[in-house]
Amino acid sequence: MLAKRIIPCLDVKDGRVVKGVNFIGLRDAGDPVQCAARYDQEGADELTFLDITASHEKRGIILEVVRRTAEQAFMPLTVGGGVRKVEDVRTLLKAGADKVSINTAAVADPDFVAAAARAFGAQCIVVAVDARNRAASLELTADGGGVSGRPAWADTYPELLVDPADSKGWEIYTHGGRRPTGIDAVKWARRMEELGCGEILLTSMDRDGTKAGYDLDLTCAVAEAVGIPVIASGGVGSPEHMLTGLTEGKADAVLAASIFHYGEYTITEVKRYLAERGVCVRE
Amino acid sequence: MIAVVDYGVGNLRSVSKALEKVGAEVCVTSDPGEISAADAVVLPGVGAFAHCMDNLRSAGLENSVREAAASRRPFLGICVGMQILFEESDEFGRVEGLGILPGRVRRFEPKDHALKVPHMGWNEIFVRRRAPHLAGIDEAARVYFVHSYYVETNDASIVATTTPYCVDFVSSAWRGNIFATQFHPEKSQATGLKILANFAALVKGSGAAC
């Protein structure tokens, strides 16, 4: 039986590992290649690097990190962050990434996802969806402040947008969760599947950094809406959260950062916990 | 020397690094001469079946691959590099493969909505015929898969392992010098490295350097 996947995620900035709490306040925590090797030994099922390097000149550093990681960790590696062009996908795959995750650029130009999937295959194109509960989202944008992430094509595809009169559901955000797009998360995930994406990395922006558990309603809504695998992300604070993400949330995989990275739980411990409760994992 | 065929598809770096890790001498090459001279040949492949076939032909390497598969030299196909060894695929209509092994490539059509496509992650392999490549590999060992299409064959004699997902599909095939895996040994940690080490151990002699 196919095992549910446990995926540690390393946020990497300028070649160093950091982890933000709600994407603000970064803590430096080491060399990504060494972390990758440790997760490989611990039996992580995959590894994800999220490159949050802001400066354009330093963007090449992640390639070297990917190259060095691929030399010593013989496990699947996903890299995301700042992927804008088909050429960016090609460069990352060539450096040793197995999958590339696309977020902001997919919203700006959904055809980019289609082009990348055509060029390299659906199996290596992940679309990262950052979603906020509509009620929370409305509160955030109530004062009209902040920059809108609403894409130029939005009016052409009204069927993908949230209903302004209804506060149910989830809205997707871009630029690390700062810009509301007006797009409905579930409809968007389905559209990404149609365009050839092979997997959805679904992050609850409401839960990210809170350790309050994954947003199970969101995860389940997206997992049931698409036929491609869904990775739950955002809010995990304990093995129990992973259990509910995989069972009630119906996720195919769970992503976690700080709880592994600061040694609160090892991957082995989490897998044992899940196996004892009947979840199929690779031990 | 093991030649990893570079025909512009896939992550060759992972394959070559994993082979080096188990002590093999490896060259990544798109040169027909180097492929002919190598002691063993690895044909990787990701993405679309048709795209891989087109690239193999336009790189002028179809004959080199046919010749290597027909030789006594150990030959390893990985993922779509396995699939194109078969007769045809129903990906985007009907596409002809190399037809070196009997069988066709079909898309997963899960009846259970909880089964996602691509089949992505760690699943078990059950040994039907113990190829030398599987020496020391436990029954139901887990390896890493990522694919939406699978091989279906009527020739049980070439089925090395099967894996249940929607159907019981051929997760590795073996005939003579040819071994082919739907999974990615180069991404399957210790189990994958063991399979690659078994493959590398079949390489006799040093051969010409490339």
Side-chain angles (χ1 to χ4, degrees):
Chain A
M1 192 177 170
L2 183 64
K4 299 283 189 180
R5 288 170 282 152
I6 312 299
I7 308 175
C9 175
L10 296 168
D11 287 4
V12 180
K13 186 182 185 193
D14 302 341
R16 299 281 294 169
V17 175
V18 289
K19 173 59 193 170
V21 177
N22 277 325
F23 288 84
I24 302 161
L26 301 172
R27 279 199 277 170
D28 189 339
D31 172 19
V33 181
Q34 282 174 35
C35 293
R38 200 188 82 194
Y39 286 136
D40 188 30
Q41 284 161 14
E42 276 191 18
D45 297 315
E46 288 184 19
L47 185 65
T48 293
F49 283 148
L50 181 62
D51 183 23
I52 54 172
T53 302
S55 102
H56 189 73
E57 304 85 73
K58 292 183 175 172
R59 292 213 50 96
I61 297 174
I62 192 69
L63 293 174
E64 195 47 38
V65 170
V66 171
R67 272 187 210 109
R68 284 167 49 218
T69 303
E71 277 172 22
Q72 50 178 281
F74 299 100
M75 65 194 298
L77 177 64
T78 303
V79 184
V83 178
R84 306 242 178 277
K85 303 187 297 279
V86 168
E87 200 46 43
D88 297 337
V89 179
R90 189 190 312 275
T91 313
L92 283 166
L93 293 176
K94 263 191 111 165
D98 298 283
K99 296 189 264 184
V100 170
S101 147
I102 303 170
N103 186 343
T104 298
V107 175
D109 177 17
D111 288 337
F112 168 48
V113 172
R118 261 199 312 276
F120 310 107
Q123 82 293 332
C124 65
I125 304 301
V126 181
V127 170
V129 176
D130 290 347
R132 260 188 218 283
N133 188 288
R134 283 274 288 139
S137 185
L138 283 171
E139 225 167 83
L140 274 176
T141 51
D143 60 358
V147 182
S148 169
R150 190 181 168 93
W153 53 261
D155 295 330
T156 327
Y157 292 95
E159 67 274 20
L160 293 179
L161 304 183
V162 294
D163 176 357
D166 185 357
S167 66
K168 287 203 189 72
W170 301 268
E171 175 176 354
I172 63 168
Y173 276 64
T174 57
H175 295 80
R178 292 190 302 273
R179 298 190 187 173
T181 63
I183 300 167
D184 178 88
V186 176
K187 295 170 184 165
W188 176 246
R190 217 181 271 140
R191 179 69 185 140
M192 290 297 96
E193 179 183 15
E194 282 167 12
L195 289 183
C197 131
E199 190 169 47
I200 299 284
L201 168 55
L202 179 65
T203 302
S204 162
M205 300 308 296
D206 306 301
R207 297 298 178 89
D208 200 66
T210 66
K211 301 202 170 184
Y214 299 111
D215 183 335
L216 299 178
D217 293 335
L218 166 69
T219 308
C220 184
V222 173
E224 287 190 333
V226 295
I228 53 179
V230 173
I231 306 169
S233 158
V236 66
S238 69
E240 191 191 345
H241 292 151
M242 298 204 171
L243 175 67
T244 50
L246 294 167
T247 52
E248 290 171 49
K250 301 192 177 176
D252 301 282
V254 283
L255 186 106
S258 51
I259 74 157
F260 290 140
H261 202 56
Y262 293 107
E264 291 164 42
Y265 299 94
T266 65
I267 289 165
T268 319
E269 282 166 356
V270 167
K271 286 194 172 178
R272 194 174 309 134
Y273 175 90
L274 293 170
E276 282 166 1
R277 284 151 187 84
V279 176
C280 177
V281 290
R282 180 179 66 117
E283 287 188 271
Chain B
M1 181 67 72
I2 298 174
V4 175
V5 181
D6 179 4
Y7 59 112
V9 296
N11 182 352
L12 307 180
R13 188 174 171 80
S14 302
V15 178
S16 62
K17 288 293 165 191
L19 284 165
E20 282 170 15
K21 174 84 177 175
V22 299
E25 274 188 83
V26 186
C27 72
V28 174
T29 181
S30 51
D31 178 61
E34 287 182 344
I35 295 168
S36 303
D39 305 301
V41 174
V42 177
L43 183 67
V46 298
F49 186 101
H51 178 69
C52 286
M53 280 304 295
D54 288 348
N55 270 41
L56 191 64
R57 289 197 175 115
S58 57
L61 294 174
E62 184 184 344
N63 283 340
S64 303
V65 167
R66 284 187 185 283
E67 184 204 64
S71 74
R72 290 184 173 184
R73 296 177 289 153
F75 184 100
L76 175 64
I78 299 175
C79 196
V80 184
M82 165 185 183
Q83 295 180 357
I84 61 175
L85 298 177
F86 288 81
E87 290 160 302
E88 61 177 40
S89 169
D90 61 12
E91 189 169 352
F92 307 120
R94 193 187 150 279
V95 184
E96 212 169 287
L98 294 169
I100 292 166
L101 295 174
R104 52 178 296 152
V105 178
R106 307 178 59 98
R107 188 174 166 86
F108 284 122
E109 278 161 12
K111 290 184 185 76
D112 175 359
H113 185 70
L115 292 180
K116 302 300 185 83
V117 179
H119 172 225
M120 189 184 288
W122 298 80
N123 207 339
E124 297 155 311
I125 51 174
F126 295 92
V127 177
R128 304 294 162 184
R129 289 180 66 233
R130 193 161 284 277
H133 310 76
L134 300 170
I137 301 296
D138 293 337
E139 185 74 345
R142 287 191 182 273
V143 289
Y144 189 79
F145 291 89
V146 50
H147 61 125
S148 301
Y149 292 78
Y150 65 94
V151 165
E152 183 185 76
T153 182
N154 293 323
D155 186 350
S157 77
I158 64 165
V159 178
T161 63
T162 59
T163 295
Y165 194 76
C166 302
V167 293
D168 214 19
F169 73 88
V170 183
S171 46
S172 68
W174 173 45
R175 192 182 72 193
N177 63 314
I178 301 171
F179 190 68
T181 64
Q182 180 59 68
F183 53 89
H184 290 269
E186 77 282 12
K187 290 289 161 186
S188 298
Q189 292 176 337
T191 302
L193 291 178
K194 175 72 180 151
I195 291 171
L196 292 176
N198 288 338
F199 172 71
L202 298 171
V203 177
K204 300 278 195 306
S206 60
C210 65

